Amino acid sequence: MDRRRFIKRLSAAGAAPFLLNGQVVKALTSNSPLMKMLAASNSDRVLIFIQLHGGNDGLNMVIPITNHTEYQLARANIAIPKTGDRKLLELDADLPDEQKVGVHPDMTGFRDLYLQKSAAIVRDVGYDNMNMSHFRSRDIWFMGGDYDEYFPSGWMGRFLNEEYPGYPDDYPNADMPDPLGLELGSDVTLAFQRENSIPAGIAIANPDAFYNLINSVGGDTPPETSYPDNHYGDEMRFLAEMEIKSNDYAGRLKEVYDAGINSANVTYPTQYPNPAPIPYINNPLSEQLKIIARLLSGGSKTRIFLCRIGGFDTHADQVEGFDNTYGRHAALLYHLSESVKAFHDDLADQGIEERVLSMTFSEFGRRVYSNESYGTDHGKAAPILLFGSGLKGGVYGNNPNFSDLDNGNLRPQFDYRQVYTTVLSDWMGAPDSTIVNTYFGDYLSQKLDLIANPLAINDCLMIIKERTDWKIVIRILRMPIQR
């Protein structure tokens, strides 16, 4: 919840005394310690969600060290070696044996962030009865449900709808002049959809192209129209309201983008420097993150950004036949690792990196056993990577037990909603009530200790005053003061 909105609601409730640990407290006046704490609290944290489209082979990204022999036997024709010039990069020799891991040799950027305690790995993330269809599994990760649930909304849309009530009618406004969510690309995915089918985000290729497109077709707000009370009417209303939102935000996006910069000290990688098929040489992620960095530099208040890199459906030719450490998958991991490192270096140079947390997801992992075509077929659980100086860093979960597989697949150690809940609660500062209304209430007791300075907010119901015929109840936010 936005702290300013919360303070307004508290102020509107008046300054009646209430009981706190048996003591009468009057804390709702404008100069009270509680109000001052809430007014000063940080509410501008940002989440960057990076989709690894196609189903990433997490076992060749995060490689077990202590049971490397079993790993290598399962996938001899694609396994990353433990020794040699292109060996795995060990992250932390002081980890317990069951957690010792390395990363792909082309992930030096991730390794560097990890050594700075600005990166974390959550091992083997998934959900019960994981679906290995690209389309269905992506929908599950975006909607935030179980394998057998079908929501018309996405978890990002539900979260933003709770945090910014009144969208789209009351937005943009002085407190939130920017899109609540921004997706780099041509389509708004299920992730940003709200229950009423109007997404809480918009999609752009880049701010200039978006602005020019809107202005080429006219930016005037269409007159109010009555719509039929049926599905057709709902769709027409959706299109009209999205046109209005696009018009509203086009100028603002260009303004913020033009005001922002990218650090002159940082070079975003554009090409993979090692052998790989030609379609995978160029880096498709760098430009997206570069745009986001410039928008944040220019003052964007957008809370969630979604970008993606594709090509992870590696049934064949995942590696080069002459060397397991080169090839298509290696190029994709390089693009991810080095782009994110450049992005966070860019933000750090500009003094805004502490506001930003980045994290990956892929619809599923790959099977433990490789196939004869130097690839891997659709699997189940896979790691999530997180990036940012606000993390505690480290490895969460243990190396897989290759003697206890799920029909040749890794078993999940963590439900993906545990990670989402942790990020929304401890990083974004969402109160418990918002988490519940985002459909993640069951995971509030299963959060991970990921965030160095959590902004977790607990909704506590307290009785202010009782009379014989009525009682007033107010919700107080309890949270740690940021150091």
Side-chain angles (χ1 to χ4, degrees), residues 270-335:
T270 58
Q271 291 190 325
Y272 179 56
N274 296 317
I278 290 175
Y280 301 95
I281 293 293
N282 291 330
N283 190 328
L285 184 60
S286 268
E287 187 61 27
Q288 298 175 63
L289 293 175
K290 192 174 183 180
I291 287 171
I292 294 172
R294 185 165 166 178
L295 288 171
L296 292 173
S297 169
S300 171
K301 294 184 178 182
T302 295
R303 301 301 307 282
I304 301 178
F305 294 85
L306 175 58
C307 53
R308 63 178 51 83
I309 175 172
F312 287 90
D313 195 17
T314 52
H315 291 279
D317 301 321
Q318 178 172 320
V319 303
E320 296 291 336
F322 62 87
D323 191 319
N324 291 1
T325 67
Y326 293 123
R328 170 181 171 182
H329 193 241
L332 294 171
L333 295 180
Y334 173 87
H335 296 328

Side-chain angles (χ1 to χ4, degrees), residues 365-441:
R366 317 297 294 187
R367 289 179 65 81
V368 171
Y369 296 93
S370 60
N371 56 41
E372 294 180 357
S373 56
Y374 295 91
T376 45
D377 297 324
H378 294 187
K380 294 190 175 180
I384 282 178
L385 305 184
L386 299 102
F387 312 83
S389 59
L391 292 165
K392 287 189 172 181
V395 175
Y396 296 76
N398 298 328
N399 286 324
N401 181 355
F402 294 113
S403 300
D404 182 28
L405 299 177
D406 178 10
N407 192 28
N409 294 298
L410 299 178
R411 297 183 184 277
Q413 298 184 52
F414 302 97
D415 190 286
Y416 75 106
R417 288 158 292 190
Q418 288 179 259
V419 185
Y420 286 177
T421 300
T422 302
V423 169
L424 292 182
S425 176
D426 291 357
W427 176 253
M428 302 292 273
D432 290 356
S433 56
T434 290
I435 300 298
V436 170
N437 290 331
T438 308
Y439 304 171
F440 296 156

Side-chain angles (χ1 to χ4, degrees), residues 214-389:
I214 294 299
N215 281 271
S216 69
V217 298
D220 294 334
T221 301
E224 289 190 16
T225 305
S226 60
Y227 301 98
D229 186 19
N230 54 32
H231 180 71
Y232 170 78
D234 292 342
E235 293 298 317
M236 290 298 295
R237 182 183 296 106
F238 163 75
L239 292 173
E241 290 180 342
M242 280 302 95
E243 180 183 358
I244 293 170
K245 288 301 106 181
S246 296
N247 293 338
D248 289 342
Y249 288 127
R252 168 66 180 177
L253 281 168
K254 181 171 173 55
E255 174 189 329
V256 169
Y257 183 72
D258 288 345
I261 61 169
N262 293 110
S263 172
N265 301 319
V266 174
T267 300
Y268 283 79
T270 58
Q271 291 190 325
Y272 179 56
N274 296 317
I278 290 175
Y280 301 95
I281 293 293
N282 291 330
N283 190 328
L285 184 60
S286 268
E287 187 61 27
Q288 298 175 63
L289 293 175
K290 192 174 183 180
I291 287 171
I292 294 172
R294 185 165 166 178
L295 288 171
L296 292 173
S297 169
S300 171
K301 294 184 178 182
T302 295
R303 301 301 307 282
I304 301 178
F305 294 85
L306 175 58
C307 53
R308 63 178 51 83
I309 175 172
F312 287 90
D313 195 17
T314 52
H315 291 279
D317 301 321
Q318 178 172 320
V319 303
E320 296 291 336
F322 62 87
D323 191 319
N324 291 1
T325 67
Y326 293 123
R328 170 181 171 182
H329 193 241
L332 294 171
L333 295 180
Y334 173 87
H335 296 328
L336 169 66
S337 168
E338 307 315 297
S339 297
V340 173
K341 177 65 163 61
F343 172 65
H344 281 271
D345 286 348
D346 188 352
L347 298 177
D349 270 8
Q350 301 189 61
I352 54 177
E353 197 269 344
E354 72 281 354
R355 290 178 51 207
V356 181
L357 177 71
S358 306
M359 63 179 288
T360 67
F361 102 95
S362 192
E363 59 261 44
F364 45 67
R366 317 297 294 187
R367 289 179 65 81
V368 171
Y369 296 93
S370 60
N371 56 41
E372 294 180 357
S373 56
Y374 295 91
T376 45
D377 297 324
H378 294 187
K380 294 190 175 180
I384 282 178
L385 305 184
L386 299 102
F387 312 83
S389 59

